[in-house]
Amino acid sequence: MMRYRVRVHVPIAYDPDVIGELLGDPALPLDHSDRVLAPFITIDGRIHGPTSDYLRRHAMARPNPATAKRIASDLAAWLDFLCNSCSLPPFDDHRDPTLVATEDHFARYYRQRQYGTDEQVLTSDGWGRAASAIKRFYEDAQRIYQHQPPFEIRSFTHHTGYSGTTIGRYQPRRRSTGSAGTPLTPEYAELLLMGALRIDLAGQQTTYRGADRDHAILSLGLGTGLRRNNLANITTYEIPPLSRLPITTMRVADRITKGDAGGDAFAFTHRLRSVHDYIAGARADITSRTTYTPADPLEIIDTTPAAIRYLDRSTGEIASRRWSDLSENERRRLVTLDGHSPILFLNEYTGGPLAYSSFQHALDGARDFVCKRINPDFPAHFRLHDLRHTYAVHLTLVIYSGKLAESVPADRREDWTVDRIAAAVEFVKYSLGHASAASTRLYIQTAHRFLGIPIEQFTGDGP
């Protein structure tokens, strides 16, 4: 049987003199502003359009050659498997292997990468990166080509009977340890924030040193839908400024986001106010009386909203990086010139970044206060991840109502008009960076139940 040769190519420097010599005529001028240094994939010397186009779009958004090459390698391996192991010819009847692949093909690919020959098997980290690359490719294909992914992103059954994520690390089925999802109405969301501040219905506040910080944590979760790892590692430099518009945007960093699924996300402006108040108030008090000395510190020299320049004291080297490319470890090694961590949420006693477990404690304390002191009907099983569900449902309603159109220029508003809940949910999924089929059903079902609530309550403009 004929075997197809799938290869990854990296871009090379453009030398007009070399091109002119080969052509025998002066080379045409190159518009460098349109040049994207993206790898591309070929099959038997012919450029493979879907993967190569995706890699170009990826490199335009995140110009990191090393990351792009790794993704290209993972996609080339998937394409090679489809062409040569699944007998999906790349050039027959204009059918592309990546666009006719099925869930069964992916299940076979998973088994090969986990139980195949030594040359085929990937480590758990390697499989996670490979599956993430495939997932992101199909999400892009859905946006660009309206091609429905060949499998559910979140579920498939392994031949042993176990179930796990289709795109991502395979895991045996886990028992449910919490609710499937409990989005809050705007009224209940405000009660939760009152609980964070320890304020009861009589307006009496119970003394709690971490109140302003917990209030900011829950506000940021409700306003942006960030996961716990993002909440724990976001810096003050990445919080968007306050806007007069009801919805603003913020950058979600790739390296601290599940599946590297970062990007631009919508944020509710009114939820950011308490975050800015925390930065100027309780957080400033912490940094005024504490210092922070991490192991192997990276000393911040200067920053912009998109990037940072720092000195690695252990090597003496100065590096410039995008915020989106900084890992959790690198972020926790950062220190300002006056000895403070740039991590947003700090321990009120040590001044160091708040522990990962403390974020659930912040939610638990606020929720329990509401149940005991404000409203016993508040869902006692509400968890930290439900902040993300609440954000998603609220944003769905705002998009559905047309309110989001007020945050974009008038000549672009037609592009943002959504007339169906399901379409609004699709929009929200891109802002979240990920959504399972179960989450999608949750948002659609819950959004319908919230339709009678004045839209101003979702944007902070109502009573």
Side-chain angles (χ1 to χ4, degrees), residues 76-390:
W78 168 238
L79 185 58
D80 181 88
F81 173 80
L82 294 175
C83 292
N84 295 307
S85 298
C86 300
S87 301
L88 297 179
F91 309 125
D92 289 0
D93 301 328
H94 304 288
R95 296 178 301 171
D96 186 85
T98 61
L99 302 182
V100 297
T102 67
E103 184 171 355
D104 286 341
H105 290 131
F106 183 81
R108 285 177 56 190
Y109 187 58
Y110 169 79
R111 291 194 291 271
Q112 182 192 88
R113 289 304 199 174
Q114 296 296 299
Y115 310 114
T117 65
D118 290 342
E119 293 78 16
Q120 294 170 334
V121 170
L122 294 173
T123 65
S124 59
D125 285 342
W127 169 250
R129 288 190 293 267
S132 175
I134 297 171
K135 168 182 179 275
R136 292 162 74 176
F137 166 73
Y138 281 109
E139 288 177 336
D140 181 79
Q142 187 172 20
R143 286 194 296 270
I144 301 300
Y145 308 121
Q146 289 74 55
H147 173 74
Q148 197 66 22
F151 31 61
E152 285 195 46
I153 293 296
R154 294 291 296 170
S155 65
F156 95 103
T157 301
H158 188 261
H159 69 101
T160 61
Y162 290 123
S163 297
T165 55
T166 300
I167 302 296
R169 288 187 181 89
Y170 169 76
Q171 296 176 346
R173 182 184 293 278
R174 296 177 294 176
R175 292 183 181 274
S176 176
T177 57
S179 67
T182 308
L184 298 177
T185 63
E187 177 186 3
Y188 268 42
E190 293 306 318
L191 294 184
L192 183 65
L193 294 174
M194 285 177 60
L197 293 173
R198 305 299 193 266
I199 298 176
D200 61 23
L201 288 176
Q204 298 297 314
Q205 185 172 22
T206 302
T207 301
Y208 168 50
R209 194 167 189 176
D212 289 340
R213 181 204 62 213
D214 289 1
H215 185 254
I217 288 173
L218 301 189
S219 293
L220 189 59
L222 289 167
T224 63
L226 292 177
R227 292 184 177 88
R228 174 162 33 181
N229 198 56
N230 295 79
L231 292 171
N233 293 294
I234 193 171
T235 68
T236 57
Y237 301 105
E238 296 167 285
I239 299 300
L242 294 178
S243 168
R244 289 178 295 178
L245 299 171
I247 304 291
T248 187
T249 58
M250 70 175 294
R251 180 73 185 179
V252 180
D254 297 310
R255 290 292 302 280
I256 58 172
T257 302
K258 183 179 178 181
D260 287 346
D264 292 327
F266 294 117
F268 287 98
T269 300
H270 71 291
R271 298 295 186 202
L272 296 177
R273 295 189 186 109
S274 60
V275 180
H276 283 271
D277 289 344
Y278 166 71
I279 293 173
R283 189 183 186 282
D285 175 66
I286 295 172
T287 57
S288 70
R289 53 184 171 79
T290 62
T291 56
Y292 176 62
T293 308
D296 301 323
L298 304 175
E299 191 172 277
I300 298 173
I301 299 174
D302 53 49
T303 66
T304 69
I308 178 175
R309 193 161 62 99
Y310 59 79
L311 167 68
D312 186 338
R313 291 181 184 170
S314 64
T315 64
E317 295 181 354
I318 294 177
S320 295
R321 301 280 298 282
R322 290 174 176 267
W323 284 112
S324 60
D325 294 332
L326 283 180
S327 67
E328 174 182 344
N329 175 267
E330 291 166 327
R331 288 163 176 269
R332 290 180 174 248
R333 289 171 58 194
L334 290 172
V335 63
T336 63
L337 293 176
D338 50 0
H340 304 137
S341 171
I343 297 292
L344 175 58
F345 297 113
L346 304 179
N347 182 293
E348 61 268 34
Y349 298 100
T350 68
L354 194 63
Y356 191 76
S357 60
S358 295
F359 289 83
Q360 184 63 49
H361 296 160
L363 184 282
D364 292 344
R367 179 200 61 211
D368 294 347
F369 186 90
V370 175
C371 291
K372 294 176 182 177
R373 303 284 296 275
I374 300 178
N375 188 334
D377 293 332
F378 190 90
H381 56 267
F382 191 82
R383 55 183 181 158
L384 188 69
H385 198 72
D386 287 325
L387 297 175
R388 183 171 167 85
H389 291 314
T390 301

